[in-house]
Amino acid sequence: MSQKKNVNRERQKAVISQIKAKNGSIRMSEAIRSGMSRRTLYSLRDKGIIEQVSRGVYRLCELPLSSHPDMLAVALRAPHSVICLTSALSFHEITTQIPNAVDIATLIGTTIPQISYPPVRVHRLREAPFSTGIVEYKIDNVTVKIYDAEKTLCDCFKFRRYLGMEVVLEALKLYRERKPLKVDRLMEYARICRVERVIRPYIEATL
């Protein structure tokens, strides 16, 4: 029995080392492909060594608490998606809204995993609007794709009926107060998102 315990202990140490090598977070499917067993992962979870942050996503409990845990969980589950709209506004600190779900953009025709937690709102975009304005940020050593502030504003104008115009105008006001105004970039994105005529009067009014 003692020998079996030692084997299990060594196996768990090896798994922990592998998770650390992956920046402290790992997907179940990724773990299995690398030779880890579900049983070992569940044992580490039950011992409080790792925690489940979303379905099929685990992270080491010894890591400091993330400043953006929901974004991190979604990025691990859907790495090809991009954080957008209210979630991106919140990240860039140009809204007073508190997102009750993670807004993500995905390319039309692609699928994403079913994410039961955290709550997710999926917005499907054409190729040009989807691939424009993406910035990769490191959050707890995990790459999270988020639209830059200017692309986020253009998306908000595009989805203004969904968000409410008061949210959009507040975001533009806070952007003007807190960020350097990049008119050329804003208008370039506006053309790509097909909201140039909508956004132009508001931009001109801020100059």
Side-chain angles (χ1 to χ4, degrees):
M1 177 68 82
S2 177
Q3 184 177 0
K4 183 177 180 180
K5 285 183 178 180
N6 287 336
V7 170
N8 288 337
R9 189 177 297 113
E10 291 303 314
R11 184 178 296 135
Q12 289 181 1
K13 284 182 180 179
V15 169
I16 292 170
S17 294
Q18 289 183 59
I19 297 174
K20 285 182 177 179
K22 294 182 179 296
N23 299 317
S25 300
I26 196 166
R27 287 179 288 172
M28 173 69 81
S29 58
E30 186 180 17
I32 292 173
R33 283 197 301 271
S34 65
M36 303 182 203
S37 69
R38 293 176 184 268
R39 183 175 181 178
T40 301
L41 284 173
Y42 292 150
S43 176
L44 292 173
R45 179 200 61 190
D46 294 342
K47 291 178 179 179
I49 297 173
I50 63 175
E51 62 179 341
Q52 186 172 357
V53 296
S54 183
R55 181 180 178 183
V57 178
Y58 296 86
R59 75 190 294 270
L60 291 171
C61 292
E62 67 185 43
L63 295 176
L65 292 176
S66 172
S67 56
H68 300 281
D70 291 351
M71 285 187 186
L72 180 63
V74 172
L76 287 166
R77 290 278 288 147
H80 301 299
S81 65
V82 186
I83 305 296
C84 64
L85 296 177
T86 308
S87 297
L89 290 178
S90 178
F91 178 82
H92 293 300
E93 299 182 339
I94 50 175
T95 186
T96 60
Q97 302 294 309
I98 300 175
N100 56 17
V102 180
D103 286 297
I104 60 173
T106 186
L107 186 63
I108 288 176
T110 61
T111 59
I112 65 167
Q114 292 295 317
I115 303 175
S116 56
Y117 186 85
V120 173
R121 289 185 292 254
V122 180
H123 309 274
R124 303 189 184 279
L125 302 178
R126 294 176 295 105
E127 170 63 35
F130 173 76
S131 59
T132 298
I134 297 173
V135 180
E136 294 186 349
Y137 294 90
K138 284 289 186 180
I139 299 177
D140 295 349
N141 292 317
V142 174
T143 299
V144 181
K145 296 178 181 178
I146 306 175
Y147 287 122
D148 65 22
E150 292 76 23
K151 173 57 161 53
T152 299
L153 282 173
C154 291
D155 283 339
C156 288
F157 272 94
K158 188 174 185 66
F159 289 91
R160 60 192 179 279
R161 292 186 179 86
Y162 165 76
L163 294 174
M165 201 61 192
E166 67 281 0
V167 173
V168 179
L169 294 181
E170 178 199 49
L172 181 60
K173 177 177 179 292
L174 292 176
Y175 166 80
R176 187 67 182 90
E177 293 173 354
R178 300 175 180 179
K179 307 284 185 181
L181 181 61
K182 300 177 181 178
V183 176
D184 291 343
R185 181 178 295 182
L186 273 168
M187 298 314 299
E188 176 189 356
Y189 291 165
R191 284 190 290 274
I192 293 171
C193 296
R194 298 182 179 179
V195 292
E196 184 178 5
R197 291 184 180 180
V198 178
I199 199 173
R200 184 180 293 280
Y202 295 100
I203 299 300
E204 291 176 348
T206 66
L207 297 177

